[in-house]
């Protein structure tokens, strides 16, 4: 009998634990450790912020869902994995001390490095947690028109919600009769298309920006936020009345100082999702060191590849499942101009871009599917 421990109850951890439960015999134990009792469907946080859904529509009880699949769930804060001693040290939670394992999958997501932008914590809204999205919802209700500045910082590895939020704000302000009194600007540290697979998406995205009268300001690398303005490392400044920024990302705090990570704190893995330099250790999801954007569908695929390889090892086979780094995203514009992009990031092929109402519908259905199969 082997004990497989999965750290993190997000897309990667849940997909991996479920795949392991389907494949491994009952003699093996699977344990999932996460500090939250809930699974959060993060892509729906934009809708939460704009009052188009509630917390119960984008979350489900992780413990119940795992137990149904014979996965033991422990709610606890991971202090650090200790691969040299095949154990995970827990800081606090239902279990104190440490948990031994035979195989480990690290799926702890990313850390929001708000400290890298001076004033971010005190003045900027973001959308990357349930609480932050709800706080932004309140700020939106109090907004009576003016300059709304949305954007992302250097090293933010996710940009879809910035565009979705800007398009949603345009509609929201029109409904409240405030659009004429408002200007919406998106600021970005590089060019349009960066963090979105490159140039292919630019014509469709520019059209949506024009249709929604959203100004796009490239090459604006924010390094400071004050109560009324944002500043860049290149000496530019911009005033705002409502500010929504995505902070820089780094690897998860719990993986720091374990010898598993690169200079940015991401876990170094090969294409089989094996962590470099550690025995029987895998990693998947936002916490790994692959280049480019960090997306939910990548986390799911990586979790499944890691699970397939752990299962193969337990069956005495070679871990041959390989991950292919592909970008697949939908920018839900809220209507007929929603954009779909698919692009292989390790090949030099052109990406495929499609536009239409179907993609908005498909994204919503995907959220409902995740929730329904776990409720
Ligand atoms: C607003 C928003 C919109 C997005 N839109 C899209 C989109 O349109 N399409 C798309 O593909 N992706 C989107 N994403 C990205 C997607 O949600 C992430 O890529 C995905 O959640 C990564 O999954 P993960 O399992 O690697 O990490 P996470 O989902 O972050 O899960 C990490 C887990 O680890 C747990 N954890 C972390 N540290 C500890 C610790 N020390 N101890 C115990 N537990 C810990 C957390 O509680 C969590 O359960 C969006 C994200 C956000 C926030």
């Amino acid at each position: 009998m082997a004990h497989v421990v999965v750290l993190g109850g997000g897309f990667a951890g849940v997909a991996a634990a479920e795949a392991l439960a389907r494949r491994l015999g009952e003699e093996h134990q699977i344990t999932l450790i996460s500090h939250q009792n809930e699974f959060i469907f993060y892509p729906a946080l934009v809708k939460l912020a704009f009052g188009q859904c509630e917390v119960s529509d984008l979350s489900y009880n992780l413990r119940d869902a795992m137990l149904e699949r014979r996965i033991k769930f422990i709610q606890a804060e991971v202090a650090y994995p200790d691969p040299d001693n095949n154990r995970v040290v827990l800081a606090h939670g239902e279990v104190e001390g440490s948990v031994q394992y035979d195989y480990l999958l690290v799926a702890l997501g990313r850390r929001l490095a708000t400290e890298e932008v001076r004033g971010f914590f005190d003045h900027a809204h973001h959308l990357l947690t349930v609480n932050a999205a709800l706080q932004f919802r309140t700020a939106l209700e109090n907004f009576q028109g003016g300059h709304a500045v949305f954007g992302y910082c250097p090293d933010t590895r996710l940009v879809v919600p910035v565009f979705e939020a800007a398009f949603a704000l345009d509609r929201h302000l029109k409904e409240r009769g405030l659009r004429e009194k408002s200007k919406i600007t998106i600021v970005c540290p590089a060019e349009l298309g960066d963090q979105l697979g490159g140039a292919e998406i630019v014509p469709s995205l520019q059209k949506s920006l024009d249709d929604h009268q959203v100004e796009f300001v490239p090459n604006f690398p924010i390094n400071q936020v004050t109560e009324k303005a944002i500043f860049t490392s290149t000496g530019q400044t911009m005033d705002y009345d409502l500010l929504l920024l995505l902070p820089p990302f780094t690897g998860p705090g719990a993986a720091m100082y374990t010898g598993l990570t690169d200079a940015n704190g991401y876990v170094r893995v090969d294409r089989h999702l094996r962590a470099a330099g550690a025995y029987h250790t895998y990693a998947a999801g936002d916490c790994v060191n692959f280049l480019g954007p960090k997306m939910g569908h990548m986390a799911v695929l990586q979790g499944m590849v890691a699970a397939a390889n752990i299962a193969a090892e337990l069956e005495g086979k070679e871990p041959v499942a390989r991950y292919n780094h592909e970008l697949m995203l939908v920018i839900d514009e809220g209507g007929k101009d929603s954009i779909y992009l698919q692009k292989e990031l390790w090949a030099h092929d052109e990406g495929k871009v499609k536009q239409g109402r179907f993609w908005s519908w498909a994204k919503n259905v995907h959220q409902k599917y995740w929730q329904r199969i776990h409720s």
Side-chain angles (χ1 to χ4, degrees):
M1 177 212 128
H3 186 201
V4 183
V5 171
V6 176
L7 304 182
F11 283 95
V14 167
E18 291 182 350
L20 285 163
R22 282 193 298 272
R23 176 140 168 199
L24 295 181
E26 289 192 8
E27 68 278 18
H28 299 297
Q29 189 188 324
I30 305 157
T31 301
L32 187 140
I33 304 176
S34 186
H35 56 197
Q36 289 173 345
N37 206 16
E38 302 288 313
F39 174 89
I40 307 293
F41 191 89
Y42 286 113
L45 287 179
V46 178
K47 287 198 161 33
L48 180 70
F50 282 87
Q52 293 159 2
C53 71
E54 296 305 326
V55 179
S56 56
D57 300 321
L58 53 84
S59 61
Y60 63 78
N61 186 293
L62 203 47
R63 180 187 302 277
D64 292 350
M66 292 299 101
L67 284 177
E68 263 181 30
R69 290 159 174 80
R70 72 172 185 84
I71 299 162
K72 184 177 174 192
F73 177 79
I74 297 177
Q75 187 174 6
E77 177 83 22
V78 174
Y80 57 92
D82 176 10
D84 290 342
N85 295 299
N86 278 29
R87 64 176 191 149
V88 175
V89 178
L90 303 178
H92 53 82
E94 288 174 347
V95 173
E96 303 216 341
S98 62
V99 174
Q100 293 293 140
Y101 62 79
D102 298 295
Y103 282 86
L104 179 68
L105 173 65
V106 181
L108 290 168
R110 73 281 175 273
R111 190 175 78 79
L112 305 181
T114 51
E115 74 282 358
E116 289 183 14
V117 175
R118 194 147 35 111
F120 189 106
F121 185 79
D122 293 322
H123 304 296
H125 287 283
H126 70 80
L127 273 180
L128 301 183
T129 64
V130 168
N131 281 346
L134 291 174
Q135 280 170 21
F136 180 68
R137 192 199 271 202
T138 305
L140 207 52
E141 283 161 9
N142 296 331
F143 184 60
Q144 294 302 321
H147 192 192
V149 177
F150 289 8
Y152 40 106
C153 300
D155 296 327
T156 302
R157 302 284 294 273
L158 172 75
V159 302
V160 170
V162 173
F163 290 93
E164 291 189 337
F167 299 147
L169 181 66
D170 174 46
R171 287 175 201 274
H172 173 88
L173 293 175
K174 279 180 183 148
E175 280 163 21
R176 290 177 59 203
L178 294 170
R179 190 61 178 102
E180 299 299 313
K181 290 164 65 181
S182 306
K183 178 178 171 185
I184 306 174
T185 303
I186 292 180
V187 292
C188 149
E191 297 289 337
L192 188 60
D194 254 58
Q195 289 293 336
L196 286 167
E200 290 93 336
I201 199 169
V202 171
S204 310
L205 194 50
Q206 188 61 60
K207 179 180 177 306
S208 295
L209 289 166
D210 295 343
D211 290 349
H212 288 277
Q213 293 182 297
V214 174
E215 175 191 42
F216 184 82
V217 178
N219 304 314
F220 198 93
I222 298 168
N223 72 345
Q224 189 185 351
V225 180
T226 62
E227 203 183 343
K228 283 280 162 202
I230 52 177
F231 300 82
T232 68
S233 50
T234 47
Q236 304 166 79
T237 177
M238 187 181 289
D239 291 344
Y240 71 84
D241 299 295
L242 178 69
L243 181 66
L244 177 76
L245 287 182
L246 302 194
F249 288 9
T250 64
M256 278 162 76
Y257 315 117
T258 55
L260 296 174
T261 59
D262 68 8
N264 297 313
Y266 295 109
V267 180
R268 288 173 289 118
V269 289
D270 63 15
R271 290 185 181 190
H272 304 286
L273 282 313
R274 285 179 299 207
Y279 191 58
H280 286 182
T281 305
Y282 286 76
D286 281 8
C287 68
V288 304
N289 69 332
F290 293 138
L291 293 176
K294 301 212 170 271
M295 307 290 296
H297 73 92
M298 294 170 176
V300 169
L301 278 180
Q302 290 166 15
M304 294 179 77
V305 167
N309 285 330
I310 291 171
E313 286 204 51
L314 283 169
E315 290 159 3
K317 299 178 191 152
E318 281 297 302
V320 290
R322 282 166 73 95
Y323 168 70
N324 184 33
H325 202 33
E326 186 182 53
L327 178 60
M328 224 190 307
L329 61 84
V330 172
I331 299 182
D332 184 358
E333 170 273 348
K336 65 180 175 39
D337 286 331
S338 293
I339 303 167
Y340 167 79
L341 169 78
Q342 183 192 6
K343 183 167 179 166
E344 299 259 344
L345 294 178
W346 285 337
H348 296 288
D349 303 345
E350 288 244 317
K352 279 186 215 132
V353 178
K354 296 183 181 171
Q355 202 159 6
R357 194 179 296 280
F358 170 79
W359 300 107
S360 169
W361 174 83
K363 194 163 183 171
N364 289 326
V365 167
H366 190 229
Q367 175 196 340
K368 291 196 179 107
Y369 171 77
W370 258 85
Q371 200 174 29
R372 194 158 303 146
I373 59 168
H374 292 98
S375 303

